[in-house]
Amino acid sequence: MNGSRRRLFAIFAAAWPLAACDRLMGRSGAPTFHSTDITGAEFARHFELPDVDGRMRTLADWKGKVVVVFFGYTQCPDFCPATLAELAGIKKSLGAAGDRIQVVFVTVDPERDTPEILKAYLANFGPEFVGLRGSLEQTAAVAKEFKVFYAKVPGKTPGSYSMDHSAASFVFDTSGRVRLYVAYGGDSKAFAADLQQLAASA
């Protein structure tokens, strides 16, 4: 990770209300999670984007499942493939509970991530992984709703740019409510335990 990217992620991370985790876990009868509990947040509440087949998708499409939303792009060299591979491993490790977890990948690079490219990329991680690709305007709108940062970083040629972007997963419960913010690079077993707990309510 270059210096500018580290600074951007440091700024982004500092903006999150981490204290909310302890506050929410202190409620009587409330579940406890390893990841940051953002239950009741007034962001990351919804999205409406086309999938690789052009069908408009919303959280309602996966009611009854735990939905994990991650923003990235197919040419990402590190965060994206690592996170998707981690989620594929978690789904497999949880057995039947893993079948109740839906991974949704939202590209922040719709200019290069065509439906065909996005579909082929996600097939490397699991046939049930869903890719969403909106217009530039739709992408900006959903990123704003989720408070996700992304920016184009120029390369040597116009088409060789990279994308700086927030590297975190948003987890929704089986009713479609946002529950968790999972930072990149955390403990995979802890992430799996959180997903299993939410899936158990399905």
Side-chain angles (χ1 to χ4, degrees):
M1 188 188 301
N2 60 38
S4 62
R5 182 176 288 183
R6 281 195 297 268
R7 287 193 295 273
L8 287 168
F9 283 124
I11 293 170
F12 179 79
W16 283 88
L18 298 180
C21 181
D22 292 333
R23 183 174 67 253
L24 290 165
M25 289 192 298
R27 295 174 181 169
S28 176
T32 59
F33 298 106
H34 300 281
S35 306
T36 303
D37 190 332
I38 57 171
T39 302
E42 295 184 359
F43 58 91
R45 295 160 296 185
H46 55 78
F47 60 78
E48 185 173 2
L49 291 170
D51 63 17
V52 295
D53 297 315
R55 176 186 173 189
M56 294 301 292
R57 309 301 294 263
T58 69
L59 284 166
D61 292 328
W62 301 289
K63 187 174 182 179
K65 287 193 173 186
V66 174
V67 180
V68 183
V69 177
F70 184 82
F71 291 75
Y73 67 115
T74 64
Q75 295 190 44
C76 177
D78 36 40
F79 301 128
C80 302
T83 298
L84 294 172
E86 178 185 33
L87 288 166
I90 288 173
K91 281 174 58 64
K92 183 177 180 179
S93 72
L94 294 181
D99 294 335
R100 296 194 291 274
I101 296 170
Q102 177 63 56
V103 179
V104 176
F105 181 82
V106 180
T107 179
V108 296
D109 186 18
E111 293 178 280
R112 291 184 301 189
D113 286 346
T114 65
E116 295 76 18
I117 288 174
L118 191 54
K119 187 173 184 178
Y121 177 74
L122 292 174
N124 294 308
F125 304 99
E128 71 283 3
F129 281 40
V130 171
L132 302 182
R133 174 186 178 270
S135 64
L136 293 176
E137 293 77 15
Q138 288 172 320
T139 302
V142 74
K144 181 178 180 180
E145 168 63 23
F146 278 70
K147 297 186 182 296
V148 164
F149 164 86
Y150 69 98
K152 185 182 292 188
V153 180
K156 293 182 179 180
T157 63
S160 66
Y161 61 86
S162 61
M163 300 291 292
D164 271 349
H165 63 93
S166 305
S169 300
F170 297 85
V171 181
F172 295 79
D173 65 19
T174 57
S175 297
R177 298 179 302 161
V178 67
R179 301 298 299 276
L180 302 175
Y181 170 84
V182 186
Y184 173 80
D187 186 292
S188 185
K189 290 183 179 179
F191 193 1
D194 287 345
L195 294 179
Q196 184 174 34
Q197 182 178 181
L198 288 171
S201 64

